[in-house]
Amino acid sequence: MIKTSIGVQALQRRIATRAKAEPGHRFWGLYCHVWKHDVLLESYRQAKANRGSHGIDGKSFDDVENEGVLNLIESLSRELREGTYRHMPLREVRIPKDNGKERIIKIACIRDRVVQGALKTLLEPIFEMDFQEGSYGYRPRRSAYQARERVRKGIGKGLFDVIDLDLKSYFDTVRHDLLLRKIAERVNDPGIMKLCKKILKSGGRIGLPQGSIVGPVFANLFLNDVDKMLEKAQHATSNGKYESIRYTRFADDLTILVSVSPRDRSTGLLDKVMYRLRQEFEKLRLTINEEKTKIVRLGDGEALNFLGFTFRLVAKNGGYRRVIVRPMRKKRTEFLRSIAELLKRNRFRPVEEVVEYLLNPRIRGWVDYFRQGNSGRDLSFVRWQIEKKIRKFASRQTPAKRSGRRWTTWTHDEIYGKWKLYSDYHVKHGDCVGPSVS
């Protein structure tokens, strides 16, 4: 966890306090804080902690350190103060997707990441006060686990009909003019607005660059009116502890749980929610992906996939149904395939080195994300598969026909004692019991 310096933290606290106390206040006089040395230094520290790759100029963090961090900070401060700062073009990295397409990540130079971080330092406390309860993606002190729990608890309250909504190329289709207008509703500072425009235009005429430092704040702000509409609908249809609608959004992944009686499925609440969603997305010039957007009937045995997990209802004695939350089989398969590829690429390196520096960090990250819910069988399967792969990896280095060992002969003590393969696969269970269903 990265802790912000005391001075910057105090500045953010003052901004957040004012933003919360006066929801209609438009902030001015912010730009002078962007070029302050302590703000830029804090932004550099956080950018370095994220261990990002180099930008189009080819400079890494080691290069910046060799040239002098203070020299970079002083140069950026002067350019921002004098109005001569220019954001450099972004370096594109193409990542293959399962469907044969590519995801394009646009990486800014380190100097531009520092400026973006400074801008985020000032804007995030303002808009955090405006963001809604059901929004979780890229927000401080919020996580995918909390979003998953919100969905699980909603299903547990009997909201068994789900609008699983997908937006077509959300990050690539955000209109800059609409976004800048939303920023201006809370910011009355020409310097900040000009800097926001420079950062947006560095990635093209339209869209938000995936990989941007300040991009997540912009992404949540652009969809905040949709969240407000759903939040209002959620409160309007609730009756005490009973809910009829519960929405959860993580970046562009939006799930709306609805309680619908079988007689109202065709003309009831689901259609009204979808109608309002289409209205809001039309205002934002966003397109719903009709092929991937669907209605999931959990009560009829269908499954919901959200944030890498699969949600199902299973029968339980006593008239209750239980919410089962497990990792998507697709995610499990992808992970094991990536482990196999990693071992293949490093087949000539010592086992202990591969385990410590390459294998364990990847296993730990995947298991920590998926260890909640009802993941016991999945984690056991992953452990068994990884153990088998590392046995075979070790045997290939010294095959049995060359006085080596067969893969089945490696002992548990050698794998987890000598090689120190990651072994913590315990599950964190939650209360998954839901109401009875007629």
Side-chain angles (χ1 to χ4, degrees):
M1 180 179 178
I2 303 172
K3 292 185 177 180
T4 308
S5 67
I6 300 300
V8 176
Q9 198 174 53
L11 172 63
Q12 290 180 305
R13 189 160 49 243
R14 290 199 304 270
I15 294 173
T17 301
R18 182 72 179 274
K20 184 175 182 180
E22 301 179 41
H25 178 70
R26 296 180 68 203
F27 285 80
W28 57 275
L30 291 175
Y31 187 69
C32 62
H33 296 288
V34 174
W35 45 264
K36 286 185 175 179
H37 283 207
D38 59 341
V39 174
L40 291 171
L41 275 170
E42 179 61 27
S43 177
Y44 173 81
R45 189 174 71 86
Q46 295 199 25
K48 184 181 178 183
N50 290 331
R51 301 176 182 177
S53 180
H54 64 84
I56 198 171
D57 62 353
K59 287 188 178 182
S60 65
F61 283 100
D62 289 338
D63 296 328
V64 173
E65 298 282 345
N66 291 333
E67 294 174 4
V69 176
L70 293 180
N71 292 334
L72 171 66
I73 299 302
E74 178 58 40
S75 174
L76 288 175
S77 178
R78 183 177 60 257
E79 291 178 23
L80 290 165
R81 186 170 60 251
E82 296 175 356
T84 59
Y85 169 76
R86 296 290 181 270
H87 197 292
M88 297 182 70
L90 306 178
R91 179 172 72 90
E92 291 189 359
V93 177
R94 297 178 179 272
I95 301 175
K97 298 171 68 174
D98 296 333
N99 56 10
K101 298 181 180 180
E102 293 180 322
R103 174 180 286 109
I104 300 177
I105 304 296
K106 297 183 178 181
I107 303 175
C109 300
I110 292 174
R111 67 189 308 274
D112 295 326
R113 269 179 267 173
V114 173
V115 174
Q116 288 188 30
L119 180 63
K120 180 183 177 183
T121 297
L122 302 175
L123 294 185
E124 189 173 61
I126 299 173
F127 295 116
E128 267 298 311
M129 299 300 103
D130 298 336
F131 292 157
Q132 304 301 302
E133 184 63 28
S135 169
Y136 287 86
Y138 314 124
R139 294 182 59 188
R141 296 176 296 279
R142 291 192 165 223
S143 66
Y145 168 72
Q146 293 172 323
R148 184 191 68 82
E149 278 295 285
R150 180 179 170 93
V151 172
R152 183 186 67 79
K153 290 178 180 178
I155 298 172
K157 288 188 173 185
L159 283 69
F160 294 155
D161 290 81
V162 187
I163 300 174
D164 186 9
L165 189 137
D166 185 82
L167 292 174
K168 184 177 291 185
S169 303
Y170 168 60
F171 290 95
D172 297 331
T173 56
V174 170
R175 288 270 299 268
H176 293 171
D177 58 328
L178 298 179
L179 175 58
L180 289 170
R181 196 177 304 163
K182 290 178 179 295
I183 297 173
E185 290 176 2
R186 280 297 235 160
V187 177
N188 184 23
D189 189 316
I192 292 291
M193 296 304 300
K194 187 176 181 181
L195 184 57
C196 289
K197 188 173 182 179
K198 285 181 179 180
I199 292 173
L200 288 172
K201 295 305 179 184
S202 68
R205 295 182 178 181
I206 192 172
L208 295 175
Q210 295 192 54
S212 166
I213 301 296
V214 74
V217 178
F218 291 159
N220 280 326
L221 175 61
F222 199 70
L223 291 176
N224 196 43
D225 284 343
V226 177
D227 295 340
K228 287 180 179 179
M229 181 274 290
L230 291 170
E231 193 76 29
K232 184 178 180 180
Q234 183 171 314
H235 285 291
T237 57
S238 64
N239 183 14
K241 65 178 182 179
Y242 298 101
E243 299 178 9
S244 296
I245 296 174
R246 173 181 285 211
Y247 78 99
T248 306
R249 184 175 66 81
F250 195 96
D252 60 332
D253 290 330
L254 177 60
T255 294
I256 303 107
L257 308 177
V258 183
S259 178
V260 180
S261 65
R263 291 177 297 180
D264 297 334
R265 280 187 171 179
S266 60
T267 60
L269 199 54
L270 279 170
D271 290 337
K272 294 178 182 177
V273 174
M274 279 302 303
Y275 176 75
R276 287 291 291 117
L277 283 170
R278 293 184 190 281
Q279 284 184 319
E280 293 298 326
F281 288 129
E282 176 63 27
K283 294 177 185 177
L284 300 174
R285 306 295 191 270
L286 296 176
T287 304
I288 295 176
N289 190 332
E290 302 293 349
E291 294 181 358
K292 294 184 178 180
T293 296
K294 57 186 177 181
I295 305 298
V296 179
R297 312 283 189 182
L298 292 171
D300 294 344
E302 297 178 3
L304 168 68
N305 293 325
F306 183 62
L307 298 180
F309 286 89
T310 297
F311 298 76
R312 289 183 184 275
L313 281 173
V314 298
K316 188 180 179 183
N317 295 333
Y320 284 80
R321 288 194 179 184
R322 188 166 180 248
V323 186
I324 297 296
V325 186
R326 298 179 59 181
M328 291 171 56
R329 180 168 293 186
K330 175 183 175 183
K331 297 297 182 181
R332 193 181 71 182
T333 302
E334 288 175 352
F335 174 65
L336 291 173
R337 186 178 294 125
S338 71
I339 294 297
E341 292 173 355
L342 182 148
L343 293 175
K344 184 178 180 180
R345 290 195 305 268
N346 296 276
R347 58 186 177 274
F348 300 116
R349 297 178 64 176
V351 179
E352 292 88 345
E353 182 179 313
V354 171
V355 168
E356 180 179 0
Y357 298 108
L358 301 177
L359 206 56
N360 281 350
R362 186 168 296 191
I363 298 172
R364 184 181 295 109
W366 193 90
V367 172
D368 284 346
Y369 184 83
F370 286 107
R371 70 166 73 252
Q372 288 88 11
N374 311 92
S375 306
R377 291 184 179 179
D378 300 276
L379 296 184
S380 296
F381 178 80
V382 166
R383 177 173 184 162
W384 170 61
Q385 285 289 316
I386 290 176
E387 187 176 311
K388 184 168 69 172
K389 291 178 188 300
I390 198 66
R391 286 172 184 268
K392 291 184 176 181
F393 174 79
S395 291
R396 287 192 187 100
Q397 294 187 341
T398 53
K401 61 183 180 182
R402 291 187 304 190
S403 302
R405 293 172 58 174
R406 296 184 179 276
W407 71 271
T408 55
T409 62
W410 298 106
T411 67
H412 187 277
D413 289 340
E414 286 174 310
I415 296 171
Y416 296 102
K418 180 181 177 181
W419 301 340
K420 301 187 185 303
L421 183 65
Y422 183 81
S423 61
D424 182 11
Y425 290 83
H426 77 276
V427 179
K428 292 181 180 178
H429 294 283
D431 180 14
C432 297
V433 178
S436 59
V437 182
S438 58

